[in-house]
Structure formats: C-alpha cells, structure tokens
Amino acid sequence: MGKWIAIILLSLTTVGAGIWGYKENQDKNAVLIQAENSYQRAFHELTYNVDLLHDKIGSSLAMNSRNRLSPQLAEIWKISSDASSDVGQLPLTLLPFNKTEEFLHDIGEFTYRTAVRDLEKKPLSEEEIQMLEELHKKSGEIEGELRKVQNVVMKDNLRWMDVELALATNDEVGDNTIVNGFKTVEKSVDGFEGSVTNTSLGSSGPQKSFRNLEGEKIDEKQAKEIASQWLEKVPTDKLTVTKSGKGADVPMYTASFQNGDKNGYIDLTEKGGHPLTIMISRKVAEPKISLYEASEKAKKYAKRLKISNLELVESNQYDNMGVFRFLYTQNDVRFFPDSVVVKVALDNGEVLGMSSRDYYNFHSERELNEPEISLEEARAKVNPNVKVQENHLSVIENDVNEQVLCYEFLATMENTTYRIFINATNGQEEKVETLKKAEMKFNQEV
C-alpha cells in the first residue's frame, strides 16, 4: 500500500514539475516574444521616420514661403526626436552607433534653432541652406541603408533577439546581417560630424565639453589622495577608484567608499584633478543649525575650488538639507551657466554634496557687448503685476542653447518669488523661473 502511495505522489510531483516547467517556459517565451515585437516595432518606426525626415527636409528646400518654412522645420525637429527615441529602443548599446545618434540630434538642434527665430527678419543664410542640402543628402543615404536592412529582415524573417545575443556574446557578430547593416549606416554618417559642428550649430552656443580645464594629468594614486581630501579625509586604502572608459564627455576618475550606513563617491577630472561631482549618502537627523550657518559652511567648502569671483546667489532648504548655488561673476555680470551647487546637512553642518560640473563644462573668459537697451527699458518689459526687489546683469543659456546677456529681475507676487530675464539686446523676455521660496541673499564673494 505504501509503495502505491509513493508511486502516486511521485507521479503527481513529476506531473506538477512538468506543468510548472511548461508554464515557466511559456512565460519566458511570452517575454521573449514581447521583447522581439518591441524591437521590431522600434526598427520599422525608425525606418519610417528616417524616410519621413528625408522627405520633409527635401520639401523645406523647395519652399519659398517663410511662413510655411518655420512649421516645416519644427516638424523636422519633432521627427528627428522620434527617430532618436526609436534608436534608443533597439539593442544597440554594445554596437558603436553614436555618429548616427549625433546626426539625428544635430538635425533636431539645427531645425529647432532655425524654426524658433523670426525668418522674416532673419531668413536662412547661404550657409544654412547648404547645411539643409547636406542633411538632405545624408538622410537619404541613411534611408537607403535602413531600407536594405528592412528588406532582408522581412525576407529572411530575422530576429532582433539574435542581434542582442550576438552583441552580448560577441558570437559571430561579423556574420549578423542586421549588425552589418547598422555598421554600414554608421559608416555612411562618418565624416559628416565636422561639417555640422563648423556651421551655425555650434557657433552661437557656449564653449562646452570642458575645453578650459587647467592642470596636469593625474594618475590613480593622485586621484585617491585628492579624493580623500574632498571626502573628509576618508583613508585612501578605503577608496575604490575606477577610470572612465572611452566615450565619456571628459576623462575622469571615480573614487567611492562604503562605511557602514554611510557611503559616497567623487568624480575627478583626469586633467587637473578637479572635482565634478561629490555625493555622500547617510541618514540626516532633524535640523540643529540655521540656513545661514549652513551657507557659511558651503562658502568655506566652495572656496577650496580656488575659483575667483564665485558668488552665492541662492539658498534653499529641502527637508533637512541646505542647498546653495554659486555663480561665477565678471565685472558684476553673473554667469548662470558657470554654476557650483553645494549641499549641506542641517543636523551637523557636514557637506554631503557638491556639483561643479557646469562650471568646468562651460567656463571661459567671454567678451561681452554692452547692453543695447537701458535698465528702465528692460524694467518696462516686466509684468506690471510683480514687485521688483532687485536687479542684476546676467548671462543665461536660452532655449536654443545660446548664451545671452540679460537684465535679471528678482520679483515677487503674493507669496511667490520669480526670477525674470529680459534680453539686454532686444528686450525680449527670455525666461521666467519660479523660485521655491523667498531666498536669503549673500553678495559676498567666496
């Protein structure tokens, strides 16, 4: 009797295991099918959007009406954004595809900048028309290569999951039709990057990409020593250091530590050992120091950057943290792109974070033109319902990534504080920011 019970239990267990295994396999297949469908959809939409992009750019070259050209360029910008999104949904993270992504980004950047300006007052220049012609030509080449890949995919019923596996394992990548097709697409864009950068796309914007870093290159040992000083003297033997790989916007070292419930990291530029980001994580207790006391801690900490003419312009409290924003100033002009942010714990005044990435990314010595409108003329452009508390001359980056000189007005309405920027050249309202709360102002330099 016991023998039969054992056999029955074993049989039930086997059947149960089989059912469970079948269900697990079914679930796995469902996930794979869903992923494959998602990849297929993104690929076909990418091909469609590149087709559309090529056609729309061609139509814009044939247009004679400036009233129609602006919305056409805006539509091209949207399509390029959709195409970039499609690329991001494909399993290409292990395949170099950055030139094509940059090409799509540059199309969007160029068309957006052109679409938002008044083409009646400032029509397309010969250089910009030539740029559109080049964009049309290159988008046509990409369209053709993507169509070839699409035809093979549909004809041979190829799967994107095989692409993902091939890229992840580096297994017979050379024989993968889809991978080879995308490599051809990437090659077709090669050589175009310089022509984009050298046109109006980059001429009016700020000098970015950490071009003005000072100092000699540091090695891993030096990175540990510098990191230890910024991380409140965490012993160097407790730090783990890694170096950035190829493709990073700036070569750097990242040093991190773990000490019980407290951990943190710092990013240091390889050139000069400048700290870009510092972040320390721990539980912060109830505030015991004032925001003003914390601001003094922040100023002392920021002074260690040895940046001249750094001014504290914002002080805000978020829960148990004080967050302080510093700007570089030159001849009483405040440069909002060149910013440093310091975060201070209000329980004991410890600095738990700093970001100077924007400062090192944007900073350079600029030659500024004098304002073409007066302070009074700019003030007249401000909403009459707000009460202006103070004003400054400031440089900001506007919606099309141009650095512009503005009159900055700090104003209040009811219980809300606003920062309003009026272009010092043409009187246009460039930007309005709503501040979290009425802020403390400190005009002392660091």
Side-chain angles (χ1 to χ4, degrees), residues 23-173:
K23 186 177 186 305
E24 184 182 41
N25 187 59
Q26 288 290 94
D27 292 342
K28 182 180 178 182
N29 287 337
V31 171
L32 292 175
I33 291 170
Q34 184 177 4
E36 179 65 29
N37 290 340
S38 177
Y39 290 151
Q40 291 285 357
R41 177 191 53 75
F43 171 64
H44 292 299
E45 285 185 0
L46 171 64
T47 305
Y48 170 76
N49 280 323
V50 172
D51 284 353
L52 199 57
L53 202 60
H54 180 246
D55 291 343
K56 293 291 183 181
I57 295 173
S59 299
S60 68
L61 287 168
M63 285 183 176
N64 192 39
S65 169
R66 291 169 188 163
N67 289 333
R68 288 291 309 131
L69 185 56
S70 285
Q72 179 82 348
L73 292 173
E75 188 173 359
I76 293 171
W77 165 69
K78 182 182 181 302
I79 296 168
S80 67
S81 178
D82 290 341
S84 295
S85 177
D86 296 332
V87 172
Q89 295 176 55
L90 293 173
L92 301 174
T93 53
L94 300 177
L95 175 68
F97 206 58
N98 57 302
K99 285 187 172 62
T100 303
E101 291 180 284
E102 288 173 8
F103 175 76
L104 293 171
H105 174 268
D106 286 341
I107 290 178
E109 185 89 355
F110 174 77
T111 51
Y112 178 77
R113 283 190 178 189
T114 311
V116 297
R117 81 174 190 233
D118 189 342
L119 291 176
E120 290 292 336
K121 295 180 180 178
K122 193 177 180 181
L124 292 179
S125 65
E126 289 297 323
E127 185 183 28
E128 289 171 327
I129 293 173
Q130 184 180 354
M131 170 56 63
L132 274 176
E133 291 172 348
E134 291 183 40
L135 292 174
H136 184 246
K137 178 183 176 183
K138 279 296 176 186
S139 62
E141 292 176 13
I142 294 175
E143 175 191 25
E145 295 300 333
L146 285 176
R147 281 296 181 193
K148 290 179 184 177
V149 177
Q150 187 181 49
N151 288 335
V152 175
V153 167
M154 297 176 70
K155 178 183 175 184
D156 297 340
N157 197 27
L158 299 179
R159 299 193 322 149
W160 277 92
M161 295 303 297
D162 295 333
V163 176
E164 187 172 45
L165 180 63
L167 289 172
T169 61
N170 201 28
D171 181 26
E172 298 182 359
V173 170

Side-chain angles (χ1 to χ4, degrees), residues 37 76 89 115 214 220 386 439:
N37 290 340
I76 293 171
Q89 295 176 55
E214 297 179 351
E220 184 174 318
V386 302
E439 300 169 333

Side-chain angles (χ1 to χ4, degrees), residues 333-356:
V333 178
R334 298 161 26 146
F335 288 79
F336 276 80
D338 303 21
S339 68
V340 175
V341 177
V342 179
K343 184 170 67 173
V344 179
L346 297 178
D347 57 357
N348 64 3
E350 181 184 9
V351 173
L352 295 184
M354 181 176 74
S355 175
S356 56

Side-chain angles (χ1 to χ4, degrees), residues 312-329:
L312 176 58
V313 299
E314 292 182 22
S315 303
N316 286 300
Q317 181 173 342
Y318 298 90
D319 296 324
N320 300 336
M321 293 282 188
V323 179
F324 306 94
R325 187 181 189 186
F326 299 83
L327 297 180
Y328 171 74
T329 62

Side-chain angles (χ1 to χ4, degrees), residues 252-286:
M252 64 184 181
Y253 290 96
T254 297
S256 59
F257 75 92
Q258 178 75 48
N259 182 16
D261 294 334
K262 186 176 182 179
N263 60 78
Y265 73 90
I266 179 173
D267 292 332
L268 295 167
T269 61
E270 182 184 32
K271 184 177 181 181
H274 303 290
L276 298 182
T277 306
I278 298 172
M279 188 64 66
I280 298 174
S281 177
R282 67 165 173 83
K283 186 176 180 180
V284 180
E286 291 298 313

